[in-house]
Amino acid sequence: DAMVIQNPRYQVTQFGKPVTLSCSQTLNHNVMYWYQQKSSQAPKLLFHYYDKDFNNEADTPDNFQSRRPNTSFCFLDIRSPGLGDAAMYLCATSRGTSGSAEQFFGPGTRLTVL
Amino acid sequence: GQNIDQPTEMTATEGAIVQINCTYQTSGFNGLFWYQQHAGEAPTFLSYNVLDGLEEKGRFSSFLSRSKGYSYLLLKELQMKDSASYLCAVVDSNYQLIWGAGTKLIIKP
C-alpha cells in the first residue's frame, strides 16, 4: 500500500543532543511537509518542499533544519533540542499545492527531551 | 491575522448526532478540510469543501458557507470509535493550510 512512513515512532534525546527524524513516502508526491504538534494544539508547519524547492516558515527556529535528498525521503534535524521541542513531529505529503490537494500524514514521531 | 475557531471539547452519546462548528478568518480562501485525529495518531482526511453547501459521505457530512466564513462537520449514528479530535483547516490565498486547534469529541455509551 502506498503510504507515508516515519521512523522512529518514539525518540528520546538529551537536552542539546542533535537528533534526526526521518520520513519516506511511496506515493510519489512532489510536496513534503514537516509539522510540529503539541498536545491539544494545531499542527504548526515548520517547512515544506515543493520538489527540491525548500520553503521555510518565517517563525521556524534556526535550530530546525531539513533535507530532502530525493523525492521519497525527507529528514528533520534538530540541532540542539530544548525542553520546549518535545512534541509530535508529523510528516505529510501532497500532490501539488492546489486548494484541493489533500495532505497524507505519516504516523508521527513523538519526541521526548530529557 | 489568520484565525480558525472551533470548540475545544464536545460530548455526545453513542447513536446520536453531533455538529462541530468551525469559523475562519483568513487571507483568501481556496477550500476547507476536515481531518480526524485519534489520540497519539496522525490526522486522516475526512472531507474537502470549496463551494457552498453540504457534502455527504456516509455518516459524515460537511457544510460550508463562504460568505459567513463558517463550516460544520456533522456526524450521525455516533460510534465509540468516533471519539477523536476533529481539525478544521483552511487553504488561504497562498495555498497554505491554516489549522484550527481541533475539537476533542468524547462519545459516551
Side-chain angles (χ1 to χ4, degrees), chain A residues 4-9 11 19-25 32-34 66-67 69 72-78 89-92 106-109:
Chain A
V4 182
I5 301 160
Q6 289 188 246
N7 284 304
R9 294 291 308 276
Q11 175 74 59
V19 68
T20 295
L21 310 182
S22 73
C23 176
S24 63
Q25 55 132 340
M32 293 187 79
Y33 307 82
W34 277 108
S66 184
R67 297 170 280 137
S72 301
F73 285 87
C74 197
F75 299 96
L76 173 64
D77 301 308
I78 308 177
Y89 289 87
L90 296 164
C91 174
T109 295

Side-chain angles (χ1 to χ4, degrees), chain B residues 17-77:
Chain B
I17 298 173
V18 71
Q19 177 175 310
I20 302 174
N21 295 325
C22 170
T23 57
Y24 62 89
Q25 293 162 318
T26 56
S27 56
F29 178 85
N30 282 296
L32 184 146
F33 286 90
W34 283 97
Y35 278 82
Q36 181 190 60
Q37 187 176 25
H38 285 99
E41 298 182 13
T44 55
F45 170 83
L46 289 177
S47 67
Y48 172 73
N49 294 67
V50 68
L51 299 176
D52 289 351
L54 187 68
E55 297 265 351
E56 297 186 73
K57 194 187 291 186
R59 294 189 298 114
F60 292 10
S61 304
S62 56
F63 171 83
L64 175 67
S65 168
R66 286 171 297 171
S67 62
K68 294 182 179 176
Y70 167 69
S71 173
Y72 67 73
L73 181 69
L74 191 72
L75 292 77
K76 301 176 187 175
E77 300 168 21

Side-chain angles (χ1 to χ4, degrees), chain A:
Chain A
D1 286 342
M3 55 174 47
V4 182
I5 301 160
Q6 289 188 246
N7 284 304
R9 294 291 308 276
Y10 299 90
Q11 175 74 59
V12 179
T13 190
Q14 302 282 338
F15 182 94
K17 185 175 180 182
V19 68
T20 295
L21 310 182
S22 73
C23 176
S24 63
Q25 55 132 340
T26 60
L27 296 161
N28 204 32
H29 284 170
N30 53 347
V31 188
M32 293 187 79
Y33 307 82
W34 277 108
Y35 287 93
Q36 179 194 65
Q37 188 180 27
K38 297 187 178 181
S39 181
S40 302
Q41 294 184 21
K44 178 182 183 298
L45 183 64
L46 297 173
F47 331 89
H48 75 275
Y49 281 90
Y50 195 119
D51 292 322
K52 291 190 174 183
D53 291 336
F54 175 70
N55 297 272
N56 191 27
E57 293 305 297
D59 58 352
T60 298
D62 292 339
N63 195 27
F64 292 85
Q65 304 284 317
S66 184
R67 297 170 280 137
R68 189 180 185 185
N70 54 52
T71 302
S72 301
F73 285 87
C74 197
F75 299 96
L76 173 64
D77 301 308
I78 308 177
R79 293 193 294 187
S80 181
L83 298 178
D85 298 326
M88 176 76 91
Y89 289 87
L90 296 164
C91 174
T93 72
S94 66
R95 185 180 292 114
T97 56
S98 68
S100 61
E102 176 190 339
Q103 293 188 19
F104 293 79
F105 285 83
T109 295
R110 181 164 294 283
L111 179 68
T112 300
V113 181
L114 299 179

